[in-house]
Amino acid sequence: MSTPFDAPQHSGSTQTRLNSVPAEGGGGGGGGGTNVDTQRLDEAANALVELRGDTENVDNAADDDCLSASRGLNKHSAGGMAEAGSWATAGSLVTMDVRWGSQVLNLKSLLQDISDKLHTTSGHYTSTEQEEQARQRSISTPFG
């Protein structure tokens, strides 16, 4: 299964390529340009947004399971009320759940930040390409 993050596969080639610029030729000027596939950037950004949503769902399930397990341990403890937290393991589950939630928030923030930057980069490339095309059309030559 291919994802927006997969690099194209080249069989038998050991030359390095930058986007669509061929590896042949020297380092002199002219001739080639860099081609950025903005659709792939947008696909990658959208995949991160989807992953962020999936992360939230997993976090919610973990919260429910940890709290249920904690209540279950305390419910069956001898000599104390279920809410009294008489099992040390029950309290540790709650502590672990809080720590997990903190890590999930950090991950979601990172995923959103990367997604936003990919969308911004795509927009900049699109805008720059449109400006360059307009500039090229506006150039008048003595040949018509």
Side-chain angles (χ1 to χ4, degrees):
M1 181 171 115
S2 175
T3 69
F5 304 106
D6 293 337
Q9 299 297 317
H10 301 287
S11 60
S13 175
T14 59
Q15 295 179 328
T16 303
R17 290 177 59 136
L18 174 62
N19 293 328
S20 66
V21 179
E24 301 86 40
T34 301
N35 182 18
V36 175
D37 188 347
T38 56
Q39 181 179 350
R40 297 278 289 177
L41 288 175
D42 288 334
E43 287 172 1
N46 292 337
L48 291 173
V49 169
E50 186 176 329
L51 179 60
R52 187 176 187 273
D54 292 345
T55 302
E56 176 120 7
N57 293 337
V58 169
D59 180 39
N60 291 339
D63 285 345
D64 293 344
D65 290 345
C66 282
L67 294 176
S68 176
S70 175
R71 282 192 298 271
L73 285 170
N74 284 329
K75 179 179 174 183
H76 298 292
S77 60
M81 296 178 57
E83 291 77 28
S86 56
W87 273 59
T89 304
S92 296
L93 282 171
V94 172
T95 300
M96 187 225 34
D97 184 51
V98 169
R99 185 174 293 162
W100 167 269
S102 172
Q103 295 300 316
V104 167
L105 287 175
N106 184 51
L107 176 60
K108 286 171 45 180
S109 175
L110 290 171
L111 291 172
Q112 186 65 51
D113 186 45
I114 294 167
S115 174
D116 290 346
K117 287 179 179 174
L118 285 170
H119 278 302
T120 299
T121 300
S122 174
H124 284 291
Y125 275 116
T126 300
S127 175
T128 301
E129 181 67 24
Q130 290 169 348
E131 290 169 7
E132 180 60 21
Q133 288 173 356
R135 188 184 73 78
Q136 292 291 328
R137 285 190 300 270
S138 71
I139 295 174
S140 61
T141 66
F143 305 108

